[in-house]
Amino acid sequence: MAIDNSLFGEYSSAAFSAYTGVRVIMTAAANPFMARAIELSLENVRSGCGGPFGAVIVRHGQIIAEGVNQVTSRNDPTAHAEVLAIRGACAKLASFELKDCELYTSCEPCPMCLGAIYWARLARLYYANTADDAAGIGFDDSFIYREIQAVHARRRIPTAQLMRDEALAAFRAWADKPDKIAY
């Protein structure tokens, strides 16, 4: 299948395939939003700013925010492409909900990003690479999925509950607050 070389800058279709080890199966004409997410992921690899992940948020057919993985350049383990795109879209729309937006991401989201996607209430999620593809290059989230389901006492990071009675005061205050913004 032919590829629009403008998506990948200096990389030709053959060079891109040799560089990534995969054959490109989607062109910008097939889905320009996913093509942009993929382009961002490749640009991020070339720039050295973070891992090979890119994401775009689309509203009414227009890209309103983009994000690339910046974990290492920001020294921030939460600076994943999807999270940064969500933060940008929320800031642009001045809203914590993205109900009429779609997320296009170059890879199936990790557990943290999936949680953020649900909290942002995005309408749809599209991804290119799978979690297994990511695991194959060292980004394996299967351990985190297992940890989430593990009994607290069996988690690798010791986890203990402290001061629940005192902490419940904030929950009671929230429950009783008449002017809260529910989310």
Side-chain angles (χ1 to χ4, degrees):
M1 176 175 251
I3 184 170
D4 178 357
N5 288 331
S6 68
L7 291 175
F8 305 106
E10 69 210 49
Y11 292 99
S12 68
S13 179
F16 178 79
S17 294
Y19 182 76
T20 63
V22 297
R23 191 181 71 141
V24 176
I25 58 172
M26 183 178 288
T27 66
N31 189 296
F33 306 125
M34 185 59 75
R36 178 63 182 152
I38 294 168
E39 177 184 26
L40 288 167
S41 69
L42 185 57
E43 287 174 359
N44 208 46
V45 170
R46 291 192 307 237
S47 74
C49 288
F53 305 99
V56 298
I57 294 184
V58 175
R59 182 176 185 224
H60 307 306
Q62 298 294 315
I63 294 175
I64 61 165
E66 298 180 339
V68 294
N69 179 287
Q70 296 181 26
V71 168
T72 57
S73 60
R74 289 190 179 193
N75 294 313
D76 178 356
T78 69
H80 289 202
E82 298 91 338
V83 169
L84 295 179
I86 288 169
R87 289 175 185 167
C90 287
K92 182 170 186 167
L93 298 177
S95 176
F96 59 84
E97 294 181 323
L98 301 173
K99 289 182 178 181
D100 58 349
C101 297
E102 301 173 332
L103 175 72
Y104 293 80
T105 181
S106 63
C107 187
E108 188 174 0
C110 75
M112 177 187 68
C113 292
L114 188 60
I117 289 162
Y118 275 95
W119 279 111
R121 295 173 178 84
L122 284 147
R124 285 192 174 70
L125 164 66
Y126 302 97
Y127 65 91
N129 292 312
T130 67
D132 286 341
D133 296 333
I137 61 165
F139 296 94
D140 189 352
D141 297 322
S142 61
F143 166 74
I144 298 170
Y145 282 109
R146 289 191 304 274
E147 285 287 289
I148 290 169
Q149 295 180 357
V151 175
H152 292 180
R154 295 189 182 263
R155 288 185 179 166
R156 188 168 297 177
I157 296 175
T159 304
Q161 186 177 31
L162 300 173
M163 299 179 66
R164 179 175 183 260
D165 290 338
E166 293 83 355
L168 283 172
F171 281 17
R172 284 190 294 274
W174 175 259
D176 294 341
K177 184 174 174 56
D179 60 344
K180 65 181 167 249
I181 299 173
Y183 64 97

